[in-house]
């Protein structure tokens, strides 16, 4: 019994690490730029296709291709902020919602047109391997993905707390007007926030590739999970999103194990409802960190 | 008659300023009337070398959208089949008439299927149609064909295609037969099969798995786990953890390609020793092997057609492989046989009229040649349009190829125990 339980927890933590990369991006954009990015999942999809093509054309290991997918998406984020989002930042939320939603639809249909709806997988030497400990097993590809995801989250944490630019981002997220009065250039900060968030999505895509298939709709699964994690963790709260993502992974896994295999999302959304009812500001508290 | 002819000739002469296409059609008219004259003069014996009117065959397949991969393969096979018929001299009773394939893309969409089928039938003079791979699409196309009274021949397996239909013909195994064969295959692996059935919680998954559950007691197969899962999940580990806990020694997965890839990989990672039966559809196409590689070795599935069944099938497979680089998969192979069944019907009907083709199809009875490429090697339609000899063939991935392993009469390679 404890073995099944432990295995379920391990499975949940491992997939939670991927959810974390996506939800940290969403929460970072929301905290700093104050917009909801509905297209975050589509950037995961783009990251996956970058890794897929680098691997199938040039034989680059999908995890290594992170060094390409992250910078590419960072630049994409900066450009999207500078040329698109900057124009709709204002008192009205509606244009912002439409913009990111339209972006999501555009990317999705572009992918359908360019790559077709076929499933694409990369097969690496470690794709099907696992470490066995007693009766438990840890898949190698997922362990690598988890470790790199946690490393990237940690690096982001250090960046936000030790560098001037990171501090400026946190300042803009706490109070945009005061931050501007203190001489912080908001567009520059927003560009970096978008870039970092999209780079994380790209990293998630590359890390997923050794054990998951790329197809145009793949991002939608992750967008949904990311939104739940962001609300659970407290809007704009990076650490909260990380913890909430791991919790959701575990809750989903336990739900499948002990309730039923089609109940994974039910458990996650029950958690969300309870949190909203009893701690409306999220588990991590309301303040952006 | 001569007067008609003269008039036509004068028309031709006076119509010189008219557009080229108009003249073309007049010339064709002359050829036709000339043909009729000749036919009556020589007692309706077609002349050798006479360019007979081609016979139009409609092909409805999803060549874009989510089912495109299989649809494109189907069209390649349909073209190959038509070429084979034409090279062998076409339809002799129609003066060596060539088959002319008219392909229409269904875009993997049910609404498009309805309009495209309509458009294909009203826009062309068709003798018959074949399509459409996915049962959901075929059901709609066959409704349209029934109303338009054009015969449709299909490899789709839904049992519903045999209900209240007179123009629909299904030469291959039905869905209900698939479940039964899958259960019988489980008994090949061990004397006391304990089967875990996992299925996606969709109409396809639920209906297929319920069929398995109903038939299991009659076949002496114990189902130890019966579990729906959310299609398109991110992680198969919790589900496979559950299969492990159930103590099953065989796993039936009713899934589409992506979920199945995750499931197969996870089973390997867990180190679980179960015989996996992946069913049909996405499991029996070359792409499955490309995606999972060596892990596919020894996995079992079920198909309505396989390329190693007969010498004829192997011959067609070799030609298809030369053109596309991949082996001829279930649905595409089946439709090569279907094209020859249509050719056989046209030959006997001696007419391109869809009504007469339907009648000839309903009287089809073949046991040799390309038209008989079906498990068991015989095709004869019952009143419900079902092949009375139709049954599925159990297959297994062996060395990157699909080998027929069940039942004994269709077996071409021994079952590899995993």
């Amino acid at each position: 019994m404890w073995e099944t339980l432990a295995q379920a927890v391990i499975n949940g933590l491992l997939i939670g690490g991927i959810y974390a990369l996506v939800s940290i991006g969403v929460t970072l954009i929301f905290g700093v730029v104050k917009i909801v990015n509905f297209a975050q999942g589509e950037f995961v999809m783009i990251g996956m296709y970058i890794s897929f093509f680098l691997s199938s054309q040039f034989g680059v290991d999908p995890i290594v291709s992170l060094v390409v997918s992250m910078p590419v998406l960072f630049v994409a984020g900066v450009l999207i902020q500078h040329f698109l989002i900057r124009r709709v930042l204002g008192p009205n939320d509606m244009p912002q919602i439409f913009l990111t939603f339209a972006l999501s639809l555009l990317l999705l249909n572009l992918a359908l047109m360019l790559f077709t709806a076929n499933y694409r997988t990369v097969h690496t030497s470690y794709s099907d391997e696992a470490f066995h400990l007693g009766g438990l097993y840890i898949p190698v590809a997922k362990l690598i993905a988890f470790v790199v995801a946690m490393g990237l989250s940690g690096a982001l944490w250090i960046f936000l707390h030790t560098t001037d630019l990171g501090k400026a981002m946190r300042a803009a997220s706490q109070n945009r007007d005061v931050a501007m009065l203190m001489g912080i250039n908001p567009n520059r900060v927003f560009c970096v926030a978008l870039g970092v968030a999209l780079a994380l999505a790209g990293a998630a895509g590359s890390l997923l590739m050794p054990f998951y298939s790329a197809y145009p709709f793949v991002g939608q699964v992750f967008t949904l999970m990311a939104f739940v994690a962001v609300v659970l963790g407290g809007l704009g709260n990076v650490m909260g999103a990380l913890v909430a993502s791991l919790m959701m992974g575990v809750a989903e896994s336990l739900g499948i194990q002990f309730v039923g295999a089609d109940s994974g999302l039910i458990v996650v959304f029950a958690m969300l409802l309870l949190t909203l009812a009893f701690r409306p500001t999220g588990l991590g508290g309301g303040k952006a960190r | 008659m001569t007067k008609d002819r003269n008039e036509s000739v004068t028309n031709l002469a006076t119509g010189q300023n008219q557009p080229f296409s108009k003249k073309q059609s007049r010339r064709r008219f002359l050829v036709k009337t000339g043909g009729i004259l000749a036919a009556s003069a020589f007692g309706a014996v077609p002349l050798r070398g006479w360019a007979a009117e081609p016979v139009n065959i409609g092909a409805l397949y999803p060549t874009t959208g989510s089912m495109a991969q299989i649809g494109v393969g189907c069209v390649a096979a349909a073209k190959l089949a038509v070429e084979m018929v034409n090279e062998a001299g076409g339809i002799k009773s129609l003066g060596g008439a060539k088959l002319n394939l008219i392909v229409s893309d269904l875009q993997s969409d049910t609404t498009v299927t309805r309009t495209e089928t309509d458009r294909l039938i009203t826009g062309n003079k068709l003798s018959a149609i074949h399509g459409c791979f996915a049962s959901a699409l075929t059901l709609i196309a066959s409704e349209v064909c029934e109303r338009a009274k054009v015969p449709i021949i299909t490899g789709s397996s839904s049992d519903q295609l045999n209900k209240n239909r007179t123009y629909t013909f299904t030469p291959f195994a039905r869905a209900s037969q698939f479940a039964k064969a899958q259960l019988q295959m489980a008994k090949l692996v061990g004397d006391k099969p304990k089967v875990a059935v996992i299925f996606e919680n969709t109409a396809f998954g639920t209906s297929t798995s319920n069929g398995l559950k109903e038939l299991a007691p009659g076949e002496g197969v114990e189902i130890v786990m019966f579990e729906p899962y959310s299609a398109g999940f991110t992680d198969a580990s919790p589900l496979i953890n559950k299969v492990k806990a159930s103590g099953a020694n065989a796993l039936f997965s009713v899934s589409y390609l992506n979920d199945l890839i995750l499931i197969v990989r996870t089973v390997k990672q867990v180190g679980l020793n179960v015989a996996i039966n992946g069913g049909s559809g996405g499991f029996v196409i070359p792409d499955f092997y490309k995606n999972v590689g060596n892990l596919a070795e020894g996995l079992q599935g079920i198909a309505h057609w396989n390329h190693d069944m007969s010498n004829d099938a192997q011959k067609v497979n070799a030609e298809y492989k030369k053109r596309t680089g991949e082996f001829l998969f279930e649905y595409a192979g089946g439709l090569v046989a279907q094209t020859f069944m249509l050719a056989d019907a046209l030959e006997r009907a001696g007419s391109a009229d869809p009504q007469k083709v339907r009648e000839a199809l309903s009287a089809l009875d073949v046991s040799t040649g390309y038209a008989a490429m079906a498990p068991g090697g015989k095709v004869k339609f019952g009143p419900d349009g079902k092949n009375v000899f139709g049954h599925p063939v159990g297959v297994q991935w062996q060395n990157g190829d699909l080998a027929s392993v069940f039942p004994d009469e269709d077996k071409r390679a021994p079952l590899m125990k995993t």
Side-chain angles (χ1 to χ4, degrees):
Chain A
M1 179 65 194
W2 77 267
E3 205 174 79
T4 318
L5 182 70
Q7 187 63 57
V9 172
I10 291 174
N11 293 336
L13 283 176
L14 291 177
I15 194 72
I18 297 291
Y19 294 159
L21 280 185
V22 188
S23 55
I24 287 174
V26 173
T27 212
L28 191 68
I29 296 177
F30 185 82
V32 177
V33 197
K34 300 279 184 287
I35 62 165
V36 179
N37 184 14
F38 286 102
Q40 193 74 2
E42 273 57 60
F43 294 109
V44 176
M45 179 260 292
I46 294 173
M48 292 185 84
Y49 276 109
I50 290 176
S51 289
F52 170 76
F53 284 111
L54 283 177
S55 167
S56 59
Q57 301 297 316
F58 305 105
V60 181
D61 188 279
I63 306 261
V64 176
S65 66
L66 204 103
V67 299
V68 179
S69 64
M70 284 186 74
V72 167
L73 280 156
F74 181 89
V75 173
V78 171
L79 295 177
I80 286 169
Q81 161 62 27
H82 192 73
F83 289 106
L84 296 174
I85 294 177
R86 195 161 62 104
R87 296 170 194 280
V88 296
L89 283 178
N92 192 350
D93 285 345
M94 270 321 202
Q96 303 164 9
I97 292 174
F98 287 139
L99 181 101
T100 59
F101 197 66
L103 196 61
S104 156
L105 288 178
L106 175 78
L107 292 173
L108 209 154
N109 285 291
L110 265 180
L112 262 180
M113 195 179 90
L114 294 175
F115 310 134
T116 71
N118 293 341
Y119 293 112
R120 322 243 180 189
T121 51
V122 168
H123 205 258
T124 61
S125 56
Y126 51 86
S127 278
D128 313 316
E129 296 306 318
F131 296 122
H132 289 264
L133 297 165
L136 303 179
Y137 74 97
I138 303 173
V140 176
K142 283 181 188 160
L143 185 66
I144 297 175
F146 180 78
V147 170
V148 176
M150 289 304 108
L152 287 172
S153 309
L156 177 68
W157 179 254
I158 292 168
F159 166 75
L160 287 175
H161 283 82
T162 59
T163 65
D164 284 348
L165 190 58
K167 286 177 183 166
M169 280 169 70
R170 281 168 57 225
S173 120
Q174 279 167 14
N175 192 322
R176 188 187 293 176
D177 299 331
V178 176
M180 276 165 73
L181 287 175
M182 295 298 126
I184 291 172
N185 175 352
N187 190 44
R188 179 157 162 261
V189 168
F190 293 173
C191 280
V192 175
L194 250 291
V196 170
L198 263 56
L200 288 180
S206 297
L207 292 174
L208 273 169
M209 214 50 228
F211 61 91
Y212 205 59
S213 315
Y215 55 100
F217 300 97
V218 71
Q220 298 187 331
V221 183
F222 295 97
T223 310
L224 185 68
M225 291 311 243
F227 282 142
V228 178
V230 167
V231 175
L232 271 180
L235 291 164
N237 187 331
V238 171
M239 195 47 98
L242 173 65
V243 175
S245 298
L246 296 179
M247 279 174 55
M248 274 167 46
V250 174
E252 188 188 8
S253 168
L254 290 176
I256 292 174
Q257 191 74 53
F258 297 107
V259 185
D262 49 359
S263 75
L265 285 177
I266 299 176
V267 175
V268 167
F269 282 102
M271 250 172 85
L272 176 69
L273 262 180
L274 289 175
T275 315
L276 285 176
F278 296 105
R279 294 206 56 175
T281 51
L283 295 173
K287 284 276 160 2
R289 292 284 177 273
Chain B
M1 273 301 199
T2 15
K3 203 184 160 202
D4 277 350
R5 220 173 174 187
N6 286 342
E7 257 173 28
S8 308
V9 171
T10 42
N11 279 346
L12 185 66
T14 52
Q16 262 171 4
N17 296 334
Q18 290 189 340
F20 186 65
S21 61
K22 197 95 183 215
K23 266 201 296 190
Q24 280 280 313
S25 72
R26 282 230 178 75
R27 185 170 302 154
R28 211 178 300 151
F29 172 70
L30 276 179
V31 168
K32 265 195 223 162
T33 42
I36 292 164
L37 279 176
S40 51
F42 294 99
V45 177
L47 290 180
R48 222 164 236 291
W50 199 267
E53 187 98 348
V55 177
N56 290 330
I57 305 287
L60 292 164
Y61 291 98
T63 54
T64 57
S66 58
M67 303 163 188
Q69 200 151 23
I70 292 183
V72 168
C74 287
V75 171
K79 285 182 177 154
L80 169 65
V82 161
E83 273 173 45
M84 286 169 68
V85 171
N86 289 346
E87 268 163 33
I91 308 298
K92 287 162 198 96
S93 70
L94 289 171
K98 300 272 188 268
L99 294 187
N100 177 34
L101 191 71
I102 305 176
V103 181
S104 185
D105 176 17
L106 303 180
Q107 300 174 23
S108 314
D109 183 301
T110 46
T111 321
V112 174
T113 300
R114 193 175 293 279
T115 50
E116 274 299 298
T117 312
D118 241 345
R119 204 181 58 83
L120 188 71
I121 292 174
T122 47
N124 302 281
K125 213 172 137 277
L126 296 178
S127 297
I129 286 180
H130 59 74
C132 318
F133 168 58
S135 283
L137 305 182
T138 313
L139 280 168
I140 292 171
S142 105
E143 276 172 27
V144 179
C145 291
E146 291 284 330
R147 245 182 288 130
K149 299 196 190 309
V150 175
I152 179 169
I153 187 162
T154 176
S156 298
S157 63
S158 169
D159 287 272
Q160 242 178 299
L161 285 165
N162 305 100
K163 289 191 183 118
N164 307 321
R165 282 167 161 86
T166 40
Y167 287 83
T168 308
F169 294 90
T170 59
F172 299 108
R174 319 312 304 144
S176 47
Q177 296 175 295
F178 274 69
K180 197 168 178 179
Q182 248 178 310
L183 290 164
Q184 288 168 345
M185 282 175 83
K187 284 190 286 191
L188 299 179
V189 181
D191 294 335
K192 283 217 170 74
K194 288 190 202 163
V195 176
V197 179
I198 54 178
F199 55 99
E200 55 167 54
N201 54 357
T202 59
F204 156 69
T206 318
S207 61
T208 312
S209 55
N210 279 338
L212 287 168
K213 198 181 190 178
E214 273 165 33
L215 294 170
E219 295 295 332
V221 173
E222 187 190 353
I223 292 186
V224 292
M225 176 180 162
F226 191 77
E227 186 93 9
Y229 68 84
S230 325
F233 52 11
T234 47
D235 188 10
S237 326
L239 188 62
I240 300 306
N241 220 9
K242 233 178 161 169
V243 175
K244 190 181 175 188
S246 76
N249 57 16
L251 172 65
F252 287 2
S253 178
V254 186
S255 323
Y256 278 112
L257 185 61
N258 191 39
D259 294 341
L260 194 58
I261 293 169
L262 270 185
I263 288 166
V264 169
R265 282 183 167 182
T266 311
V267 166
K268 162 82 178 54
Q269 285 167 353
V270 177
L272 195 55
N273 187 21
V274 289
I276 301 178
N277 192 313
S280 61
F283 179 77
V284 292
I285 56 173
D287 215 45
F288 179 77
Y289 199 89
K290 269 195 266 168
N291 273 303
V292 300
N294 281 336
L295 288 188
E297 288 295 324
L299 299 196
Q300 299 170 23
I302 191 98
H304 68 235
W305 195 94
N306 199 27
H307 59 83
D308 65 356
M309 284 184 329
S310 65
N311 286 339
D312 285 335
Q314 283 169 10
K315 244 188 276 171
V316 184
N317 178 47
E319 181 59 31
Y320 183 85
K321 215 169 184 171
K322 208 161 74 189
R323 295 184 179 200
T324 65
E326 274 155 2
F327 70 75
L328 186 59
F329 61 92
E330 176 199 31
Y331 206 96
L335 80 85
V336 173
Q338 287 170 27
T339 306
F340 278 92
M341 291 172 208
L342 288 179
D344 183 276
L346 281 160
E347 198 69 73
R348 284 181 291 108
S351 159
D353 179 53
Q355 286 277 358
K356 299 211 171 94
V357 175
R358 190 214 83 87
E359 270 149 43
L361 263 180
S362 66
L364 183 93
D365 187 358
V366 286
S367 53
T368 54
Y370 292 114
M373 287 191 298
K378 278 186 275 187
V379 182
K380 182 180 178 190
F381 292 114
D384 50 1
K386 208 185 284 186
N387 176 8
V388 295
F389 303 110
H391 62 260
V393 54
V395 292
Q396 186 176 39
W397 282 105
Q398 297 181 354
N399 305 317
D401 200 5
L402 266 185
S404 302
V405 294
F406 178 85
D408 280 341
E409 62 166 317
D410 303 305
K411 191 163 155 183
R412 298 293 175 267
L415 184 82
M416 196 164 77
K417 303 257 173 157
T418 45

